[in-house]
Structures are given as structure tokens and as C-alpha cells.
Amino acid sequence: DGGITQSPKYLFRKEGQNVTLSCEQNLNHDAMYWYRQDPGQGLRLIYYSQIVNDFQKGDIAEGYSVSREKKESFPLTVTSAQKNPTAFYLCASSITWRARDSPLHFGNGTRLTVT
Amino acid sequence: SQQGEEDPQALSIQEGENATMNCSYKTSINNLQWYRQNSGRGLVHLILIRSNEREKHSGRLRVTLDTSKKSSSLLITASRAADTASYFCATESPGYSTLTFGKGTMLLVSP
């Protein structure tokens, strides 16, 4: 079955440590996205990638970094510079960033807790 | 920045009843999409309505769009306990390659 896999489902880290969240898709989609979700809030865009070896900052990129070396993979690193890293992180993909009316396909998220 | 705002924030109904959720937005759009999120899971795309469409159906779902009022509604008919979830609207604006999500409506359907 085609889909998006995020791992791990739960992640615990100490303050001051960097942590990398994995996102892999086998949908052959060009575009990939990282969103952050806080309790009772909507989704806020962290970074997105339109194509391999290219990525753009979203609304809340500070304290995060990404890479897109392979079409299938879009890992997100939460750095120690992110002031409030505890959140639910969602990865998504779409066929192509230029396609209008293209829905997003989501993974099942990684819940990161930093203490 | 968040463009869509759902109303109500929370809705509690009995199985068999209809559930209506509303979404308002601020700027012009290419399309508006509705997503469902079960607790602790990712979002699932439900339905997309383009700016030149007024109504769309998919199974028990009915979506309307009023661009003059910058609002949309999602109606779930004959609700089931399995419909319990949060529902989000998301807008795609001209010139933007990303979606902007609202804060969602939490729907609880009791047996």
C-alpha cells in the first residue's frame, strides 16, 4: 500500500538535544511538507519541499532544519534553538506543488516531548 | 498565518443526527478542502470544492461554498460513532503552493 511513514510514533528528548524525525513516502509525490500541531490548534507549516534538493521555509521555520536528498525522504531536525519543541509533528505529501486542487496525504505523526 | 476558522469549536450529537460545521476565511481562494483527524492520528482528506463550485457531495458528506460570504459548511448526515473526530478546513489561495488550515471542530457522536 502506498503511503507516508513517520517514525518514531513517540519521541522523548532532553532539553538542549537535537532530534531528527523521519518521514518516508512511497507515493512518488514531488512535494513534501512538515506541519506542527499544538493542542487545540490548527496545523502550522514548518518547511516544505517542492522537489528533490530544494526546500522552503514555512510560517514557523525558526529552530528547525530539513533536507531533501531523496524524493522519498524528508527528515525534520528539531534543534536546541527551538524554544517550545514539544508538539505533534505531521509530515504530508502531494503529487506536485504546482498542481492546483491537489490534496495532501498525511503520515500518522510523531509526538515529541522535550523535558 | 491561519486563514480558515471553524465554528463551532466543539459539537456533541447523538448517532443518527446530522452534524454541521462551518468554516470562514479571509482572502480569495482557489479551493477549500475538508480533512478529518482521529485522535492521535494524521489528517485524512475528505472533500475538495473549487472556488467556482457551490456544492459537492461525497457519500454522507455535503459541502457548500459561498465565496461572496467567504464561508463553507460541511454537513455529515446520519452520523455514526465512527465519525467522532476533529474536522479541519484548509484553503489554497491563488499564488500559494501550500494549504492554510483552521483550528478545527471537534465532533463527538454518542451511541
Side-chain angles (χ1 to χ4, degrees):
Chain A
D1 278 341
I4 298 181
T5 301
Q6 290 188 244
S7 61
K9 188 171 174 61
Y10 300 96
L11 194 51
F12 298 89
R13 279 295 182 268
K14 296 285 188 189
E15 202 172 306
Q17 293 179 335
N18 292 356
V19 60
T20 298
L21 282 59
S22 169
C23 178
E24 303 277 333
Q25 56 103 354
N26 61 3
L27 298 166
N28 200 32
H29 285 176
D30 282 334
M32 297 187 74
Y33 311 79
W34 275 105
Y35 286 90
R36 170 183 170 135
Q37 185 177 31
D38 293 284
Q41 299 294 312
L43 277 65
R44 292 184 290 168
L45 183 64
I46 305 172
Y47 267 98
Y48 63 100
S49 169
Q50 300 161 356
I51 202 162
V52 176
N53 293 321
D54 179 73
F55 49 82
Q56 308 292 331
K57 291 182 180 180
D59 299 319
I60 55 164
E62 187 176 345
Y64 299 98
S65 66
V66 294
S67 63
R68 186 87 187 277
E69 296 174 2
K70 297 188 300 182
K71 187 175 186 176
E72 303 80 20
S73 180
F74 191 40
L76 172 74
T77 296
V78 184
T79 75
S80 56
Q82 169 48 232
K83 291 182 173 51
N84 297 297
T86 294
F88 189 51
Y89 290 88
L90 287 160
C91 179
S93 70
S94 62
I95 292 173
T96 168
W97 76 280
R98 285 196 179 277
R100 279 183 55 171
D101 307 338
S102 177
L104 295 183
H105 298 255
F106 282 86
N108 277 323
T110 291
R111 189 168 297 280
L112 173 64
T113 303
V114 177
T115 57
Chain B
S1 60
Q2 289 176 328
Q3 162 148 252
E5 288 289 338
E6 291 90 342
D7 171 61
Q9 288 187 327
L11 181 60
S12 183
I13 59 174
Q14 300 288 319
E15 256 188 336
E17 294 180 341
N18 294 344
T20 300
M21 289 158 266
N22 303 297
C23 171
S24 59
Y25 57 92
K26 296 189 176 86
T27 63
S28 62
I29 59 172
N30 289 334
N31 66 62
L32 186 144
Q33 304 178 31
W34 285 92
Y35 289 79
R36 183 187 75 225
Q37 184 182 33
N38 290 89
S39 181
R41 309 276 287 182
L43 279 70
V44 174
H45 180 258
L46 294 176
I47 197 164
L48 180 152
I49 186 163
R50 298 182 178 86
S51 59
N52 61 353
E53 296 176 315
R54 292 296 166 257
E55 187 170 312
K56 208 158 181 184
H57 297 256
S58 177
R60 293 184 296 112
L61 305 180
R62 173 178 167 251
V63 168
T64 61
L65 179 65
D66 186 335
T67 52
S68 67
K69 294 182 180 176
K70 292 188 169 57
S71 68
S72 172
S73 68
L74 170 67
L75 168 67
I76 304 174
T77 59
S79 62
R80 306 165 182 166
D83 294 327
T84 293
S86 291
Y87 292 82
F88 294 87
C89 69
T91 53
E92 178 190 300
S93 299
Y96 288 89
S97 58
T98 61
L99 292 181
T100 304
F101 286 82
K103 294 184 180 181
T105 291
M106 193 177 301
L107 173 66
L108 174 63
V109 182
S110 302

